[in-house]
Each structure stands twice: as structure tokens, then as C-alpha cells.
Amino acid sequence: MYGVLSPVGGGDPFPLSKTEIIIGRHKSCDIVLNHGNVSSQHCKLVLSEGYWYVLDLHSTNGVKVNGNRVTDYRVDPNAVVAISKHTFKLQYNPVQNGASGLPPSNVLHNDILSQSLMQRAGLEKAKPADTVADERLEFFEAAIPALLTPKPKTPHAPHDFFSELVFD
């Protein structure tokens, strides 16, 4: 077991027996929270370098760690994780989970260019990949005909080369 997710205010704790755990309302999730304000696949807990990370799976009501909305964040031992409005304490020992040295990065996916500043701050949801692709396609569909349409040729008067000749 890699730790325990305990409901704040009482309730049965959820043992963390796998290194990746999906939390959500759908019955296929590893931890099922049967509440209307929890998305079908709300978030994922991932164990990396001995520490747990929480990844928001584009949920409607978001995920918070110690009161701060996050999309990808390291959850330190005994931190409070809010999944929508349901709060849990994540209890674990990083050393027992294989950690050594200084704690790793605060984010699991450190690709800074994959999200906007607003998304990284938790103020804007990421667009699904198919929406982004649709927007790009719409742009190119609008731009390509303009590029491929031949420009009308302006009629030129016939040029008379002989009138320019000068005879001595």
C-alpha cells in the first residue's frame, strides 16, 4: 500500500494500492465518488519518485490542494485534496514509497508550453484536443481558398515596340 486517502470529517479511508488511481463518479474508476458535482473521471493520482501527484482530468468543478486550484500538482504528505467540494487528507510516507533526496518538481508534466498561463493558474480549463484541431482546421479552411484563388489580371494595352524606336 502506497498511502491512504481519508475523507475529512469522517468516513472510510481509501487505500492507495496502485501507482495510478482514477477518481470520479463513473463505476469504472478506482475510487468512486457517487456525487452529482463529481465528474465521471474527475482526476488521477499518480505516484512518481515516492510522491503523489494529482492531475485534473478536465473536470467541471476542479481539484484543489490545500485550498489552491490545480491541474497538475505534487501532493505532499498530509495535504488536503478537494475533489469538487469533497475534501480528503492524503497520508503517505515518501521514503517508504521510494523517495530519496530533495522532493521532485511541483508538477508531474513539466512541459510549460503545453498550457496557457491561465490554465496553469487553474483559472481556465484546457480545451479538448479535438476542439483545438477543429479551430485550426477552420482557420486553414478559411485561409486556403484565398491563397489558391488566382488573382485577376489587369488588362494591359498592347505595347508598341516600334513607336519607341528612334531613327537618325
Side-chain angles (χ1 to χ4, degrees):
M1 187 166 70
Y2 300 105
V4 176
L5 190 64
S6 302
V8 173
D12 294 332
F14 298 99
L16 305 176
S17 57
K18 298 175 6 178
T19 59
E20 287 194 9
I21 296 172
I22 302 287
I23 301 172
R25 192 177 69 244
H26 195 268
K27 63 182 178 180
S28 67
C29 293
D30 301 304
I31 295 177
V32 178
L33 302 177
N34 197 11
H35 302 282
N37 58 3
V38 175
S39 296
S40 58
Q41 288 193 336
H42 201 96
C43 63
K44 179 195 271 190
L45 291 175
V46 177
L47 184 65
S48 177
E49 299 182 50
Y51 287 82
W52 283 102
Y53 289 83
V54 64
L55 306 172
D56 189 335
L57 299 176
H58 306 293
S59 66
T60 302
N61 293 314
V63 177
K64 292 181 179 180
V65 175
N66 293 330
N68 298 310
R69 189 157 182 171
V70 298
T71 56
D72 175 351
Y73 200 74
R74 186 185 74 227
V75 183
D76 290 329
N78 299 314
V80 175
V81 178
I83 299 167
S84 184
K85 295 181 181 184
H86 311 281
T87 55
F88 302 87
K89 184 180 262 191
L90 183 55
Q91 300 166 311
Y92 69 99
N93 184 328
V95 175
Q96 288 178 352
N97 290 343
S100 63
L102 294 174
S105 170
N106 283 340
V107 293
L108 184 62
H109 298 106
N110 205 8
D111 182 7
I112 196 164
L113 299 177
S114 68
Q115 293 182 316
S116 72
L117 182 60
M118 296 294 281
Q119 290 168 346
R120 289 193 308 267
L123 301 173
E124 175 182 273
K125 286 175 42 173
K127 292 182 180 180
D130 59 343
T131 304
V132 174
D134 288 346
E135 289 176 356
R136 289 181 186 149
L137 182 61
E138 289 171 9
F139 170 79
F140 285 113
E141 285 176 343
I144 288 175
L147 294 172
L148 297 179
T149 304
K151 299 198 180 351
K153 296 191 179 206
T154 56
H156 294 294
H159 190 67
D160 183 13
F161 292 102
F162 295 107
S163 64
E164 295 176 11
L165 294 175
V166 179
F167 296 99
D168 292 326

